[in-house]
Structures are given as C-alpha cells and as structure tokens.
Amino acid sequence: MTSNILLKSFQTPYNTAPFSNIKNEDFLPAFKLCIEEAKAEIDAIANNSEEPTFKNTIEALEFSGEQLDRVSSIFFNLNSAETNDAIQKIAQEVSPLLSEFSNDITLNEALFKRIKSVYDSKSSLNLNTEQQTLLDKKYKSFSRNGANLPDDKKEKLREIDKELSKLKLKFGENVLAETNKFEMLITDEKELSGLPDGAMEAAKQLAESKGKEGWLFNLDYPSYIPFVTYADNRHLRKKITLAAGSKGFNNDDLDNQDIVLKIAKLRFERANLLGYKTHAHFVLEERMAKNPAKVEGFLNELLEKAKPAANEEFKKLQNFAKELDGIEQLEKWDGSYYSEKLKQKLFNLDDELLKPYFKLENVIDGAFTVAKKLFDLNFEEIKDIDKYHEDVLTYKVTNSDGDFISIFYADFFPRAGKRNGAWMTSYKPQSIKDGKNDRPHISIVCNFTKPIPAKAGKSKPSLLTFNEVTTLFHEFGHALHGMLANTTYPSLSGTSVYWDFVELPSQVMENWCNEKEALELFAKHYETGEVIPMDLVEKIKESATFHEGMQTLRQISFGLLDMSWHGQDPTGIADVKAHELNAFENTTLYPETPETCMSTSFSHIFQGGYSSGYYSYKWAEVLDADAFEYFKETGIFNKDTATKFKNNVLSQGGTEDPIVLYKRFRGKEPQPEALLRRAGLLK
Ligand SMILES: [Zn+2]
C-alpha cells in the first residue's frame, strides 16, 4: 500500500483535493505512476480486438487518465496560486513528461486508426449532438497533432512541442521572478504625497513584513496600481512604471527576448508542418472567428471607431495635465495619474470614495445573491474541506431543490508565490458517467487588497476598488460557467468552449455591477450600513465609459501585437522591440520608452493559452453587450431570460458550436452595436 496520497482515492468530503496531506515529494512519483496507468488504459483501447465503436474507442478515451487529470489540476493550480522553488522545480521536470505523454497518445497509430474508423462512419452511427462534437474534437485532436503525418515529420513535431513546453514555462518563471525582484522602499513620508491612506498603510505593512522601516512598494497590482494612480512624485511614478514595463527585458538571466523569438518561430514551424499557413491559421480553425483575416478585420473595424475618440481623449488629458501641473508631454507614467484626477474632476468619484461601499464580504454576498436571483443557487460556507492556504474560503453550492451543484473555493489576497491577476480554475471537472452526475470543484483566485489587522485600533476590512468589484464578478461569471456545467463528457464541460466564447459568461456578469437594482443588494457602507447613494450609482454608470476610446485602443493594440507574432511568418524577426514598435504603429498615444517592452512579459500569449486569441476579449465584449441588452430589455433579474442563458449557454459547455448556443439563447446573432453604444463610441 502506497503512502502517496495522490495515488489513492481521496477519502475526503465531496471527494475534494486532500491538500494538507499532500507532500511536495508526492507529486513526481504520482505523475509518473498515473502516466503509466493512463498509458495502459490507452493501450487497452488501441489494442482492443473488437471492432472500433464510439463507446469502446471515443468514449473510452474520453474517460481514460482520470487520476492523472486530477493530479495535474491540483499541481498546476498550486503552481499558479501557491508556488515555491520546490514546486517550480517539479514543474520543470513534469512538463516535458506530460507533453511526451500527450504526444504519445496523439501519435499512437493504432489508436488513431480506430478513431478514424469511427470518424469515417459517423453518419451511420446515430450519435447525438454532444457525441458528434466529442467525435469531431477527438479526431481533430489527432489530425491537428500530426496523426496524418509521415514518421519523420511526427518526430519533428514531438521535438518542437517538448521545446515549446519548456520555453513557455521558463517565460512565466522569468516574469514571476522579475515581479518579485523589484522593491521600492520609501523612507521619506513626503515622497508618498497623493497616496490614499489605504495604500500607505498597506505599504507600511509590506515593509514591516520584510523587516524594513518605511513604506515598501512592489509590482504586485495592489501595490503598483495605487502608486501610479495617486503618487504626486512623477520621478517615482516613472521608476515603478519602467520597472513594470521592462519585465523580461533587462538583458540579464531573466530576459525573455530570446524566448519570445524562439516561441514565435517554433509555433510557425509547427503550423507549417501540419499544413497551416501560420500559427494563427492553425489556432483560429477552432475558434468562432475561424481565420486571421476575420480577426484583423474585426480589430481594424473597432480601431476605426475607437481611434478618433481615443485621440480626442488623449488631447484633453494632455491639456488637463498641462493646465494642472504644466506637463508639456504626457508620458506613460502620467496616464493613470492624470486620468484619475480628470475623472475625479468630471465625476468627483474616486476609488477611495467608493471603497467603503465595497467591503469584500459584502461583494461576495452580492455575487451570491445575484446568482441566487438569476440561477437559483445557494452558497453555504463550509469548514470541513481541506484547503491549500488559510486565506482560502470554501463553499458548498446547492440549487433550490437542495441538490449538490459544486464545491467553490475563493482565494482573494496576494502572496509571494501567487501569480498576478485574477483567474478561475477547477480542481475537478463535471461529467456524467454511468448515469451519475459527478459535480465539479471550482475555484477563483484574485489579488485584492488585504484587510489591515487590528493594531492600535486601526483595523480595516478588505475594501475593494470598483475595478476589483467587477473583477470579482468577472471571475465569478467564469465560475458559474464551471459550476452550472451539465454535460456528459468532461472535455466538453463548463469553460471547455472555444476561446473566443469563454469570456461571455464572465464579462456579462460584470454588467450587474453597473446596475442600481443589483448594487442596492450589496453595496453598503462597511461602517454605517448605508446603501450606496444613487447619485454615486449614476456617476458609476456615466464614468464607466470614461476614456473608453483609449482603453479600447489599448486592447486592440494587444490584439494586433498578438496577431503580428502569430498571423504571419516570423522567421525574419530578429529584434523583439523593433517588431513590437511596428505592430503598435497605429495604436500609439504616449511617447516611446526604449526601456520597456510588452512582449517580454505578455504572459497571455507566450505562457498562457491566448496566442492568436487576445482579440477574443473584445470579441466577447460584443457578445456580452449584446447578451446583456437582452437582460435589460426583459429586466436584469428576469428569470426567463436567466434560465435561457443557463440552459443554452452556461450549462452547455462546448457541446455545440457557440454561435448555435448563442442564437438559441438570444433568438438572433450578436451585433456589435450594443457594445459601441455601451462604450459611447456610437452616437
Ligand atoms: Zn476572463
């Protein structure tokens, strides 16, 4: 009997991950053994002497390697949310093993022969829609990974994939190390002028935690963002902005330039090998957008609409900064600062004014209340399941009949070892096997401002900025997609949809944060309990489109940068920065800073799964604005509309083409006008 907990069935409530009993040294042997087991299962399918059928081949393959999937999700989620040197080292060892394993499957000829045989006879198999989608997906996962290639090219593909997996991991580690490396200690209080109390207290606490006197700032968003938004000291704003903008671009051992070039070129080579013109052609085949021309057309059409507005906004901001402080030329480190000042002048609505109405606990309750009103979900905090850090909150989710829907983890505060940003993930997928609906374990991870512990009577709960409130609703929207999943096959469940569809459930949830009817439910002053005043709500709505032109331009610039790396032949690119400047040509507002580079820390496309997919944020905005317009037409808590959304989108995962699912919910195709109206770009 093994002592390795990862190799046993988890004897835990709801079959949750047994975090506190997992030792780091369990991972590597568990991975190795689970890979062996999964291989044996695959071999049994490939060498089955019976005729290939959907059940003995496609479905059997779908449900193989279950334990490996669980170990992988636990491990890689920890590597994002609670990592350390040991875990990172294991990741370095494990990643090549996993890509080798998945290549072994996709290049397994006997297995592919059986899949192809089922695929070729699919019209006579009487499959339901979900089964057809699964069959297509499985077949493509082979053909798109070289199953139809001759042996020498298959071998080449394996080499490229191994190399890519190492490079992407290294890219991410460099970005994290750069983020953790930078510290700005301030000892003269005068240099903190402009900063709100909360940011100063947090900086003091951070300094104390490192045994230092004074105020410490770093590149974690809750530290960095308030500094560049409020600090009057232009020189220090410049210092921290340049540090944030030059991650992976310092010509040292954490430099990512070479890695960026290698990744782009290897992806191109891989696509060519498989018969695609570029990496983007390869990727977009399985997207709503379908091809690079469509994406570029989409981005350029938006650019045309947004650019005049952005230029106008920038000119006004420039004039404002000149009037206020005699600034002759607005620089990158001035943008957030003067935008905030102008926003205050126009709307008299700064974050600090709003924050008391957004105590974290109230916002969480608000999200739960919205989910109850829309989708009949109940969230009950439970203490009997294991967690990987004491800050993690755990909930049991049920529906109005009391049926168990999901386990929900929420991990809100930054720590060393947690990567930046916010994301949703799962520790166990949903599926239906042998008639049993196996419910999912969903998690959201954020980096919100921590509460300030009681010391000299100055304790303060975690008060969120409005931006953090919408972030929480955003991730919660992804979580609902995961929690409400109701499909047979795990690989089609929840957020397993086309990438340019995956942001619809998350972005649509953000809309409730702008509505009086929703804010009244939870936006209550943390000390007085007073509901947020309605003039503030009106201003929130008005200010929601503040600088929308500039922000749209920024998103488009990232989308175009992504396409510039992946939508054309990159073999001639030698200089990352020069290439980037070229890609940004039509979207630049601020003077160029030679110290900074976006690509070298653009984790979305060089580490995560957004390569050739960054446009999908805007794409999904078209969808979410169009979808929310339906809610507004019928009432934002209209049960019928919500139920349609649940039944046709949230519960359906990737079982059908997204456009079909969407039309079934909305009754028609999405139109960009709702977004342009909401953004104030369509008069
Ligand atoms: Zn998202």
Side-chain angles (χ1 to χ4, degrees), residues 413-433:
F413 306 121
R415 302 182 284 271
K418 188 195 270 195
R419 71 176 162 87
N420 270 331
W423 63 94
M424 165 270 185
T425 183
S426 94
Y427 282 92
K428 188 164 90 62
Q430 176 272 336
S431 70
I432 300 172
K433 201 177 166 188

PDB file of all heavy atoms in Angstrom, residues 413-433:
ATOM      1  N   PHE A 413      -6.415  37.047  -1.653  1.00  0.00           N
ATOM      2  CA  PHE A 413      -5.353  38.010  -1.356  1.00  0.00           C
ATOM      3  C   PHE A 413      -4.007  37.629  -1.951  1.00  0.00           C
ATOM      4  O   PHE A 413      -3.701  36.451  -2.097  1.00  0.00           O
ATOM      5  CB  PHE A 413      -5.224  38.183   0.162  1.00  0.00           C
ATOM      6  CG  PHE A 413      -6.525  38.554   0.816  1.00  0.00           C
ATOM      7  CD1 PHE A 413      -7.079  37.747   1.795  1.00  0.00           C
ATOM      8  CD2 PHE A 413      -7.210  39.695   0.411  1.00  0.00           C
ATOM      9  CE1 PHE A 413      -8.301  38.083   2.377  1.00  0.00           C
ATOM     10  CE2 PHE A 413      -8.425  40.039   0.986  1.00  0.00           C
ATOM     11  CZ  PHE A 413      -8.974  39.215   1.971  1.00  0.00           C
ATOM     12  N   PRO A 414      -3.184  38.661  -2.263  1.00  0.00           N
ATOM     13  CA  PRO A 414      -1.870  38.365  -2.851  1.00  0.00           C
ATOM     14  C   PRO A 414      -0.912  37.747  -1.821  1.00  0.00           C
ATOM     15  O   PRO A 414      -1.039  37.980  -0.623  1.00  0.00           O
ATOM     16  CB  PRO A 414      -1.363  39.734  -3.302  1.00  0.00           C
ATOM     17  CG  PRO A 414      -2.129  40.740  -2.526  1.00  0.00           C
ATOM     18  CD  PRO A 414      -3.428  40.106  -2.139  1.00  0.00           C
ATOM     19  N   ARG A 415      -0.003  36.935  -2.326  1.00  0.00           N
ATOM     20  CA  ARG A 415       1.076  36.362  -1.514  1.00  0.00           C
ATOM     21  C   ARG A 415       2.263  36.195  -2.436  1.00  0.00           C
ATOM     22  O   ARG A 415       2.090  36.118  -3.645  1.00  0.00           O
ATOM     23  CB  ARG A 415       0.722  34.929  -1.041  1.00  0.00           C
ATOM     24  CG  ARG A 415      -0.489  34.747  -0.255  1.00  0.00           C
ATOM     25  CD  ARG A 415      -0.606  33.261   0.153  1.00  0.00           C
ATOM     26  NE  ARG A 415      -1.042  32.413  -0.958  1.00  0.00           N
ATOM     27  CZ  ARG A 415      -2.311  32.174  -1.237  1.00  0.00           C
ATOM     28  NH1 ARG A 415      -3.279  32.704  -0.512  1.00  0.00           N
ATOM     29  NH2 ARG A 415      -2.631  31.385  -2.239  1.00  0.00           N
ATOM     30  N   ALA A 416       3.447  36.104  -1.843  1.00  0.00           N
ATOM     31  CA  ALA A 416       4.586  35.690  -2.656  1.00  0.00           C
ATOM     32  C   ALA A 416       4.233  34.282  -3.120  1.00  0.00           C
ATOM     33  O   ALA A 416       3.697  33.492  -2.360  1.00  0.00           O
ATOM     34  CB  ALA A 416       5.841  35.661  -1.811  1.00  0.00           C
ATOM     35  N   GLY A 417       4.496  33.972  -4.370  1.00  0.00           N
ATOM     36  CA  GLY A 417       4.197  32.624  -4.835  1.00  0.00           C
ATOM     37  C   GLY A 417       2.843  32.499  -5.513  1.00  0.00           C
ATOM     38  O   GLY A 417       2.514  31.469  -6.066  1.00  0.00           O
ATOM     39  N   LYS A 418       2.053  33.595  -5.459  1.00  0.00           N
ATOM     40  CA  LYS A 418       0.818  33.597  -6.249  1.00  0.00           C
ATOM     41  C   LYS A 418       1.074  34.496  -7.457  1.00  0.00           C
ATOM     42  O   LYS A 418       1.646  35.570  -7.317  1.00  0.00           O
ATOM     43  CB  LYS A 418      -0.340  34.159  -5.435  1.00  0.00           C
ATOM     44  CG  LYS A 418      -1.694  34.019  -6.114  1.00  0.00           C
ATOM     45  CD  LYS A 418      -2.755  34.899  -5.477  1.00  0.00           C
ATOM     46  CE  LYS A 418      -3.494  34.178  -4.357  1.00  0.00           C
ATOM     47  NZ  LYS A 418      -4.750  34.910  -3.980  1.00  0.00           N
ATOM     48  N   ARG A 419       0.676  34.048  -8.626  1.00  0.00           N
ATOM     49  CA  ARG A 419       0.941  34.927  -9.755  1.00  0.00           C
ATOM     50  C   ARG A 419      -0.054  36.085  -9.786  1.00  0.00           C
ATOM     51  O   ARG A 419      -1.082  36.033  -9.138  1.00  0.00           O
ATOM     52  CB  ARG A 419       1.010  34.164 -11.083  1.00  0.00           C
ATOM     53  CG  ARG A 419      -0.273  33.612 -11.620  1.00  0.00           C
ATOM     54  CD  ARG A 419      -0.018  32.968 -13.003  1.00  0.00           C
ATOM     55  NE  ARG A 419      -1.068  32.068 -13.396  1.00  0.00           N
ATOM     56  CZ  ARG A 419      -2.176  32.442 -14.046  1.00  0.00           C
ATOM     57  NH1 ARG A 419      -2.381  33.714 -14.338  1.00  0.00           N
ATOM     58  NH2 ARG A 419      -3.093  31.549 -14.380  1.00  0.00           N
ATOM     59  N   ASN A 420       0.292  37.115 -10.534  1.00  0.00           N
ATOM     60  CA  ASN A 420      -0.518  38.323 -10.615  1.00  0.00           C
ATOM     61  C   ASN A 420      -1.861  38.072 -11.267  1.00  0.00           C
ATOM     62  O   ASN A 420      -2.048  37.080 -11.962  1.00  0.00           O
ATOM     63  CB  ASN A 420       0.207  39.368 -11.471  1.00  0.00           C
ATOM     64  CG  ASN A 420       1.092  40.253 -10.632  1.00  0.00           C
ATOM     65  OD1 ASN A 420       0.812  40.481  -9.450  1.00  0.00           O
ATOM     66  ND2 ASN A 420       2.148  40.737 -11.222  1.00  0.00           N
ATOM     67  N   GLY A 421      -2.782  39.010 -11.063  1.00  0.00           N
ATOM     68  CA  GLY A 421      -4.033  38.959 -11.796  1.00  0.00           C
ATOM     69  C   GLY A 421      -5.098  38.158 -11.075  1.00  0.00           C
ATOM     70  O   GLY A 421      -5.012  37.925  -9.864  1.00  0.00           O
ATOM     71  N   ALA A 422      -6.103  37.753 -11.819  1.00  0.00           N
ATOM     72  CA  ALA A 422      -7.214  37.008 -11.248  1.00  0.00           C
ATOM     73  C   ALA A 422      -7.633  35.958 -12.260  1.00  0.00           C
ATOM     74  O   ALA A 422      -7.586  36.200 -13.460  1.00  0.00           O
ATOM     75  CB  ALA A 422      -8.380  37.947 -10.961  1.00  0.00           C
ATOM     76  N   TRP A 423      -8.022  34.790 -11.763  1.00  0.00           N
ATOM     77  CA  TRP A 423      -8.437  33.737 -12.690  1.00  0.00           C
ATOM     78  C   TRP A 423      -9.373  32.752 -12.015  1.00  0.00           C
ATOM     79  O   TRP A 423      -9.466  32.693 -10.797  1.00  0.00           O
ATOM     80  CB  TRP A 423      -7.223  33.010 -13.268  1.00  0.00           C
ATOM     81  CG  TRP A 423      -6.372  32.272 -12.276  1.00  0.00           C
ATOM     82  CD1 TRP A 423      -6.470  30.948 -11.947  1.00  0.00           C
ATOM     83  CD2 TRP A 423      -5.288  32.800 -11.497  1.00  0.00           C
ATOM     84  NE1 TRP A 423      -5.505  30.629 -11.014  1.00  0.00           N
ATOM     85  CE2 TRP A 423      -4.771  31.731 -10.716  1.00  0.00           C
ATOM     86  CE3 TRP A 423      -4.699  34.057 -11.375  1.00  0.00           C
ATOM     87  CZ2 TRP A 423      -3.702  31.891  -9.826  1.00  0.00           C
ATOM     88  CZ3 TRP A 423      -3.634  34.218 -10.486  1.00  0.00           C
ATOM     89  CH2 TRP A 423      -3.149  33.148  -9.735  1.00  0.00           C
ATOM     90  N   MET A 424     -10.089  32.000 -12.860  1.00  0.00           N
ATOM     91  CA  MET A 424     -10.936  30.928 -12.373  1.00  0.00           C
ATOM     92  C   MET A 424     -10.300  29.622 -12.839  1.00  0.00           C
ATOM     93  O   MET A 424      -9.654  29.570 -13.891  1.00  0.00           O
ATOM     94  CB  MET A 424     -12.338  31.079 -12.969  1.00  0.00           C
ATOM     95  CG  MET A 424     -13.226  29.854 -12.856  1.00  0.00           C
ATOM     96  SD  MET A 424     -13.047  28.769 -14.309  1.00  0.00           S
ATOM     97  CE  MET A 424     -14.289  27.533 -13.966  1.00  0.00           C
ATOM     98  N   THR A 425     -10.447  28.591 -12.033  1.00  0.00           N
ATOM     99  CA  THR A 425      -9.902  27.294 -12.439  1.00  0.00           C
ATOM    100  C   THR A 425     -10.748  26.189 -11.806  1.00  0.00           C
ATOM    101  O   THR A 425     -11.679  26.473 -11.048  1.00  0.00           O
ATOM    102  CB  THR A 425      -8.423  27.175 -12.029  1.00  0.00           C
ATOM    103  OG1 THR A 425      -7.915  25.924 -12.513  1.00  0.00           O
ATOM    104  CG2 THR A 425      -8.253  27.222 -10.517  1.00  0.00           C
ATOM    105  N   SER A 426     -10.449  24.944 -12.139  1.00  0.00           N
ATOM    106  CA  SER A 426     -11.206  23.877 -11.486  1.00  0.00           C
ATOM    107  C   SER A 426     -10.261  22.802 -10.970  1.00  0.00           C
ATOM    108  O   SER A 426      -9.193  22.572 -11.523  1.00  0.00           O
ATOM    109  CB  SER A 426     -12.235  23.278 -12.451  1.00  0.00           C
ATOM    110  OG  SER A 426     -11.714  22.148 -13.093  1.00  0.00           O
ATOM    111  N   TYR A 427     -10.654  22.174  -9.867  1.00  0.00           N
ATOM    112  CA  TYR A 427      -9.888  21.065  -9.299  1.00  0.00           C
ATOM    113  C   TYR A 427     -10.472  19.727  -9.710  1.00  0.00           C
ATOM    114  O   TYR A 427      -9.860  18.690  -9.521  1.00  0.00           O
ATOM    115  CB  TYR A 427      -9.841  21.178  -7.766  1.00  0.00           C
ATOM    116  CG  TYR A 427      -8.845  22.216  -7.320  1.00  0.00           C
ATOM    117  CD1 TYR A 427      -9.220  23.537  -7.112  1.00  0.00           C
ATOM    118  CD2 TYR A 427      -7.508  21.879  -7.177  1.00  0.00           C
ATOM    119  CE1 TYR A 427      -8.282  24.485  -6.738  1.00  0.00           C
ATOM    120  CE2 TYR A 427      -6.561  22.817  -6.803  1.00  0.00           C
ATOM    121  CZ  TYR A 427      -6.955  24.122  -6.584  1.00  0.00           C
ATOM    122  OH  TYR A 427      -6.022  25.060  -6.231  1.00  0.00           O
ATOM    123  N   LYS A 428     -11.698  19.766 -10.221  1.00  0.00           N
ATOM    124  CA  LYS A 428     -12.328  18.537 -10.712  1.00  0.00           C
ATOM    125  C   LYS A 428     -13.406  18.953 -11.696  1.00  0.00           C
ATOM    126  O   LYS A 428     -14.197  19.830 -11.396  1.00  0.00           O
ATOM    127  CB  LYS A 428     -12.946  17.751  -9.544  1.00  0.00           C
ATOM    128  CG  LYS A 428     -13.451  16.371  -9.930  1.00  0.00           C
ATOM    129  CD  LYS A 428     -13.669  15.505  -8.697  1.00  0.00           C
ATOM    130  CE  LYS A 428     -15.068  15.611  -8.127  1.00  0.00           C
ATOM    131  NZ  LYS A 428     -16.118  15.162  -9.037  1.00  0.00           N
ATOM    132  N   PRO A 429     -13.431  18.338 -12.882  1.00  0.00           N
ATOM    133  CA  PRO A 429     -14.444  18.730 -13.861  1.00  0.00           C
ATOM    134  C   PRO A 429     -15.786  18.060 -13.569  1.00  0.00           C
ATOM    135  O   PRO A 429     -15.864  17.130 -12.765  1.00  0.00           O
ATOM    136  CB  PRO A 429     -13.864  18.214 -15.174  1.00  0.00           C
ATOM    137  CG  PRO A 429     -13.070  17.013 -14.774  1.00  0.00           C
ATOM    138  CD  PRO A 429     -12.555  17.270 -13.384  1.00  0.00           C
ATOM    139  N   GLN A 430     -16.820  18.550 -14.238  1.00  0.00           N
ATOM    140  CA  GLN A 430     -18.133  17.919 -14.148  1.00  0.00           C
ATOM    141  C   GLN A 430     -18.267  16.910 -15.283  1.00  0.00           C
ATOM    142  O   GLN A 430     -17.734  17.126 -16.378  1.00  0.00           O
ATOM    143  CB  GLN A 430     -19.214  19.010 -14.265  1.00  0.00           C
ATOM    144  CG  GLN A 430     -20.660  18.507 -14.286  1.00  0.00           C
ATOM    145  CD  GLN A 430     -21.147  18.170 -15.691  1.00  0.00           C
ATOM    146  OE1 GLN A 430     -20.618  18.686 -16.672  1.00  0.00           O
ATOM    147  NE2 GLN A 430     -22.128  17.275 -15.785  1.00  0.00           N
ATOM    148  N   SER A 431     -18.958  15.799 -15.011  1.00  0.00           N
ATOM    149  CA  SER A 431     -19.270  14.856 -16.091  1.00  0.00           C
ATOM    150  C   SER A 431     -20.402  13.936 -15.650  1.00  0.00           C
ATOM    151  O   SER A 431     -20.758  13.912 -14.472  1.00  0.00           O
ATOM    152  CB  SER A 431     -18.039  14.007 -16.444  1.00  0.00           C
ATOM    153  OG  SER A 431     -17.757  13.105 -15.391  1.00  0.00           O
ATOM    154  N   ILE A 432     -20.970  13.229 -16.602  1.00  0.00           N
ATOM    155  CA  ILE A 432     -21.976  12.216 -16.255  1.00  0.00           C
ATOM    156  C   ILE A 432     -21.444  10.866 -16.720  1.00  0.00           C
ATOM    157  O   ILE A 432     -21.162  10.667 -17.902  1.00  0.00           O
ATOM    158  CB  ILE A 432     -23.341  12.499 -16.935  1.00  0.00           C
ATOM    159  CG1 ILE A 432     -23.875  13.872 -16.500  1.00  0.00           C
ATOM    160  CG2 ILE A 432     -24.351  11.406 -16.588  1.00  0.00           C
ATOM    161  CD1 ILE A 432     -25.124  14.332 -17.257  1.00  0.00           C
ATOM    162  N   LYS A 433     -21.254   9.976 -15.741  1.00  0.00           N
ATOM    163  CA  LYS A 433     -20.686   8.675 -16.080  1.00  0.00           C
ATOM    164  C   LYS A 433     -21.554   7.594 -15.442  1.00  0.00           C
ATOM    165  O   LYS A 433     -21.882   7.703 -14.255  1.00  0.00           O
ATOM    166  CB  LYS A 433     -19.258   8.607 -15.518  1.00  0.00           C
ATOM    167  CG  LYS A 433     -18.394   7.566 -16.188  1.00  0.00           C
ATOM    168  CD  LYS A 433     -16.988   7.646 -15.589  1.00  0.00           C
ATOM    169  CE  LYS A 433     -16.170   6.449 -15.940  1.00  0.00           C
ATOM    170  NZ  LYS A 433     -14.903   6.454 -15.208  1.00  0.00           N
TER     171      LYS A 433
END
